[in-house]
Amino acid sequence: MIPTGFDELIHPATRLSVVSLLAATEWADFAFIRDSLSLSDSALSKQLHTLEEAEYLEIRKEGGGRKRRTRVRLTDRGRTAFEGHVAALRAIVEGAGPAATATELAPRQQQPSKAGR
């Protein structure tokens, strides 16, 4: 079962990496995100556009000419979606972690009843 908060839009590795990076800052330059994640301009642009359409982030273009700069930030909606997705991932991982014993993971076997002994 997929936990509440799991977000299919954020989940792909590239988008999850973008949102994770943005969650740690107020604003980030396009070039910083691109270089940090080793993405091409076109690959990053595509992911940003998808997230912007979902209103998970805001993109601002500042300046003009050669000094034009693109800045990106998570919106409140994007930050909430990211936090919910992280919580859902934690729930999935914790459910399969070392705390689960072999007994919990093994198929349940019928125990003989006390009356039949």
Side-chain angles (χ1 to χ4, degrees):
M1 184 171 130
I2 296 175
T4 303
F6 188 89
D7 192 311
E8 295 281 348
L9 184 74
I10 292 175
H11 191 68
T14 302
R15 285 194 289 257
L16 182 57
S17 296
V18 168
V19 175
S20 294
L21 186 70
L22 292 173
T25 187
E26 183 64 30
W27 286 92
D29 287 336
F30 181 94
F32 174 77
I33 301 167
R34 178 197 62 212
D35 296 346
S36 295
L37 302 178
S38 300
L39 296 172
S40 67
D41 286 357
S42 61
L44 179 56
S45 291
K46 180 180 177 182
Q47 301 307 323
L48 294 179
H49 178 70
T50 298
L51 292 164
E52 183 183 36
E53 281 186 334
E55 298 180 0
Y56 283 5
L57 55 83
E58 177 184 351
I59 300 173
R60 282 194 189 160
K61 301 204 181 261
E62 301 172 347
R66 301 190 105 199
K67 301 225 184 217
R68 187 170 183 130
R69 180 172 144 174
T70 301
R71 301 191 67 194
V72 184
R73 75 170 185 95
L74 279 181
T75 61
D76 289 341
R77 179 179 179 159
R79 193 168 298 279
T80 299
F82 174 68
E83 290 168 358
H85 189 66
V86 169
L89 291 175
R90 283 191 178 121
I92 291 169
V93 171
E94 287 169 3
T101 65
T103 307
E104 292 170 331
L105 297 175
R108 301 219 181 253
Q109 297 178 357
Q110 290 231 342
Q111 299 295 324
S113 70
K114 290 181 182 179
R117 288 187 189 178

